[in-house]
Amino acid sequence: MSEPIFVTKPLLPNKEKFLAYVDQIWQSQWLTNQGTMHQMFEKNISRYLNGSQVTLTVNGHVALETAIRSMELTGEVITTPFSFASTTHAISICGLKPVFCDIKPSDLTIDEDQIEELITEKTSAILPVHVYGHCCNVEKIQEIADRHHLKVIYDAAHAFGVTKEGTTVAAWGDVSIFSFHATKLFNSIEGGALVYKNPALKERLDLLKNFGISDEEHVKLVAGNGKMNEFQAAMGLCNLELMDDVISKRRELTLQYRSELNDIKGLCLFQPEENIKMHYNYAYFPILVDEKKFGMSRDALYEALKQENIFTRKYFYPLIPRYECYQKDYAADSYPVAERVSKQVLTLPLYFDLKPEQISFITNTIRKIQGAFLHA
Ligand SMILES: *Cc1c(COP(=O)(O)O)cnc(C)c1O
């Protein structure tokens, strides 16, 4: 049996480089609260994102909750059922009602043509997800939001490094959030960022992640603690330097996957960068398994790969409205595309130091499993 291949592996920078920053932290004796590392990291992230405004947070989820709080939303928020738990939880925790809109089969992002029929007098925002780094139809979503005076918050947790028309995807919407969690293509161990255009938002967001404290004697807002610490920022600084390499390496691996899986019947692959105005970040390699054409189900393929020490992920399954904590509030059959996709999707291993031989091993194993299954 070969070494296990996991679905992801964290990006680790040169250790000496990181330790040099740790030395600086030791000398400064400043561990958190907007220290030198934090300031540098915030500046470098802003530069990487075409000079956008940036507020760093301890993780992506806190960034999302902070984004929602900053917009003072009420009532209902239209979002996608096909995402990580964090997206819907952030809406619910803020006392708002998530309203789910189905997704498009072409790229699995929210179906912008179905948003308007879900808008009621209670709707205050749209919260789409650039799922897998696939860019939503940002122009159309903005048009709808403008027509109905709604805020737009993008969960861009998967989309760090994605650009459209030469600029970061975070240039769209009122605010976007990124996640720098260890499992994402870029990490600061844990970490997150709010990214926005309006400089007037900066003060409010900085307050919202620091108990609303503006100075020693003034507390302006009711808020919690979402601060990123110096060690996280140091890790982020090191990894940010690797971003161009990370994306080009992941691109090569993705192209290899596509060419080796291309002729297998019943597997649907995605090519989001087909839209030449967009530069993709190759954050994930999702495939859809069509049981009728492929000959076996997604679940059967998942289990068979596991037997071969290849660990894929049903990402995202179950669908959010199917969670125990939400199912009593939502009809199960209102999102047919998302429902089907959640039963067909499998994300294959993809990370910076995955080897081309390992990809060939994975794709050959998929062929072998399919062959054995069909002839059993
Ligand atoms: C990872 C993720 C988050 C949350 O980010 P954390 O940094 O893990 O808190 C939110 N939304 C989506 C879509 C994610 O994948």
Side-chain angles (χ1 to χ4, degrees):
M1 184 71 82
S2 58
E3 285 281 291
I5 304 176
F6 298 108
V7 71
T8 187
K9 235 164 89 169
L11 176 68
L12 288 168
N14 175 289
K15 196 159 99 187
E16 272 58 51
K17 197 160 221 164
F18 180 69
L19 291 178
Y21 282 130
V22 170
D23 265 342
Q24 284 185 44
I25 297 173
W26 238 255
Q27 275 164 27
S28 71
Q29 300 186 35
W30 190 300
L31 307 186
T32 187
N33 288 11
Q34 274 77 278
T36 315
M37 299 298 147
H38 186 285
Q39 290 168 30
M40 277 203 290
F41 187 38
E42 200 162 84
K43 204 165 79 214
N44 290 4
I45 291 278
S46 169
R47 191 180 312 142
Y48 183 74
L49 299 174
N50 316 96
S52 311
Q53 299 288 321
V54 175
T55 295
L56 297 174
T57 54
V58 66
N59 60 49
H61 181 81
V62 161
L64 198 49
E65 282 191 24
T66 305
I68 293 169
R69 288 187 208 288
S70 74
M71 300 282 145
E72 297 184 278
L73 306 181
T74 56
E76 300 174 356
V77 175
I78 296 172
T79 189
T80 169
F82 188 70
S83 184
F84 182 56
S86 173
T87 312
T88 302
H89 285 353
I91 297 170
S92 301
I93 289 169
C94 290
L96 303 161
K97 183 174 167 52
V99 172
F100 296 111
C101 177
D102 206 358
I103 58 173
K104 296 178 299 225
S106 56
D107 64 6
L108 313 184
T109 65
I110 196 165
D111 184 347
E112 62 278 359
D113 290 333
Q114 296 189 46
I115 292 176
E116 260 182 317
E117 61 204 63
L118 296 170
I119 295 175
T120 70
E121 69 277 9
K122 290 189 191 146
T123 310
S124 60
I126 309 172
L127 201 163
V129 179
H130 297 304
V131 68
Y132 307 123
H134 301 176
C135 184
C136 297
N137 187 338
V138 287
E139 292 89 357
K140 185 81 190 284
I141 290 170
Q142 194 57 54
E143 237 177 75
I144 296 167
D146 288 345
R147 196 155 48 237
H148 297 272
H149 310 290
L150 306 175
K151 300 288 186 193
V152 181
I153 298 172
Y154 280 105
D155 181 339
H158 296 175
F160 194 63
V162 177
T163 67
K164 191 171 189 291
E165 290 159 10
T167 185
T168 168
V169 282
W172 279 269
D174 292 282
V175 53
S176 299
I177 71 95
F178 291 110
S179 163
F180 306 148
H181 185 262
T183 55
K184 304 296 205 275
L185 87 163
F186 164 76
N187 80 82
S188 58
I189 310 173
E190 294 236 23
L194 295 133
V195 179
Y196 44 98
K197 286 175 301 222
N198 179 6
L201 254 185
K202 173 89 177 150
E203 189 193 348
R204 185 171 170 75
L205 291 173
D206 284 346
L207 286 174
L208 279 172
K209 69 162 186 183
N210 187 28
F211 307 105
I213 297 173
S214 65
D215 62 42
E216 274 178 60
E217 299 191 2
H218 296 93
V219 182
K220 290 190 175 167
L221 298 172
V222 179
N225 178 6
K227 297 191 299 293
M228 174 182 281
N229 69 51
E230 291 291 279
F231 293 86
Q232 291 177 284
M235 187 72 154
L237 277 169
C238 296
N239 277 339
L240 190 58
E241 288 180 22
L242 305 175
M243 266 311 272
D244 290 347
D245 288 346
V246 165
I247 292 183
S248 72
K249 184 68 187 299
R250 297 176 81 103
R251 175 169 185 275
E252 279 169 34
L253 297 170
T254 299
L255 296 185
Q256 185 187 342
Y257 260 134
R258 284 180 193 161
S259 81
E260 292 182 14
L261 293 175
N262 200 21
D263 63 327
I264 301 185
K265 265 207 325 216
L267 294 187
C268 167
L269 315 178
F270 296 91
Q271 222 166 309
E273 74 277 30
E274 238 173 35
N275 174 354
I276 50 156
K277 287 185 185 152
M278 171 182 165
H279 281 282
Y280 185 45
N281 64 355
Y282 306 91
Y284 296 89
F285 191 76
I287 62 171
L288 301 184
V289 183
D290 180 338
E291 180 170 2
K292 281 207 193 81
K293 293 186 190 141
F294 183 70
M296 67 196 292
S297 69
R298 183 274 311 270
D299 289 347
L301 179 61
Y302 167 87
E303 289 300 334
L305 284 167
K306 206 153 98 177
Q307 295 307 312
E308 301 289 337
N309 246 353
I310 298 168
F311 297 88
T312 60
R313 237 186 114 186
K314 301 176 194 177
Y315 193 65
F316 302 98
Y317 176 85
L319 211 58
I320 296 175
R322 295 275 190 172
Y323 291 0
E324 284 91 331
C325 55
Y326 291 121
Q327 61 190 5
K328 66 175 189 332
D329 298 322
Y330 296 94
D333 50 4
S334 311
Y335 336 97
V337 178
E339 189 74 37
R340 168 175 67 78
V341 166
S342 78
K343 289 176 182 151
Q344 294 186 333
V345 72
L346 203 59
T347 49
L348 302 187
L350 183 61
Y351 46 87
F352 181 63
D353 54 358
L354 186 67
K355 303 281 173 288
E357 309 82 78
Q358 291 176 300
I359 297 217
S360 296
F361 173 67
I362 294 166
T363 59
N364 287 331
T365 305
I366 291 174
R367 265 175 220 284
K368 198 183 75 185
I369 290 169
Q370 184 194 29
F373 194 84
L374 293 180
H375 297 110

